[in-house]
Amino acid sequence: SLPDGAVDLVYSVHCLEQLPYHADACLAAMARVCTGPLVLVEPVFEHANTAQRLYAILGDQLRTLLPAIRAAGLVIRDSRKAGVLANPLNCTGIVVATRRPH
């Protein structure tokens, strides 16, 4: 396990979507070890249209990324839909989050 504040940046690409029941723990660990931003390229349910939301629900993929980020004590600095989607049914977003200032 990495010590607290061991890294300057955490970058995730389509990883958390595969761990819908462990995202909270993963984000808490990311927040613990990172002193800088977390850049998450993951599906964002809130940015999805109806077909994309159904795809996430039926595929049992992560649908709570933004609330899980907040629950980890992080502040969402930017959250937007990616301009290019490898799978049009998977609503990839780019989220930048940081630790709360002390």
Side-chain angles (χ1 to χ4, degrees), residues 38-79:
L38 282 74
V39 179
L40 309 171
V41 181
E42 303 283 347
V44 178
F45 194 74
E46 292 81 357
H47 297 320
N49 62 34
T50 303
Q52 292 165 334
R53 286 178 181 217
L54 285 171
Y55 179 80
I57 292 166
L58 295 173
D60 199 22
Q61 294 182 345
L62 179 64
R63 298 179 297 276
T64 58
L65 180 63
L66 299 183
I69 290 169
R70 291 183 194 101
L74 296 164
V75 176
I76 297 170
R77 301 295 179 186
D78 193 9
S79 176

Side-chain angles (χ1 to χ4, degrees), residues 7-98:
V7 299
D8 297 327
L9 169 76
V10 170
Y11 185 78
S12 167
V13 179
H14 288 275
C15 177
L16 296 175
E17 74 176 296
Q18 305 300 324
L19 307 165
Y21 304 106
H22 304 287
D24 291 342
C26 291
L27 284 161
M30 290 174 178
R32 181 184 62 77
V33 301
C34 188
T35 59
L38 282 74
V39 179
L40 309 171
V41 181
E42 303 283 347
V44 178
F45 194 74
E46 292 81 357
H47 297 320
N49 62 34
T50 303
Q52 292 165 334
R53 286 178 181 217
L54 285 171
Y55 179 80
I57 292 166
L58 295 173
D60 199 22
Q61 294 182 345
L62 179 64
R63 298 179 297 276
T64 58
L65 180 63
L66 299 183
I69 290 169
R70 291 183 194 101
L74 296 164
V75 176
I76 297 170
R77 301 295 179 186
D78 193 9
S79 176
R80 64 183 70 192
K81 191 172 182 174
V84 176
L85 304 175
N87 177 351
L89 286 176
N90 197 343
C91 185
T92 301
I94 302 167
V95 181
V96 178
T98 58

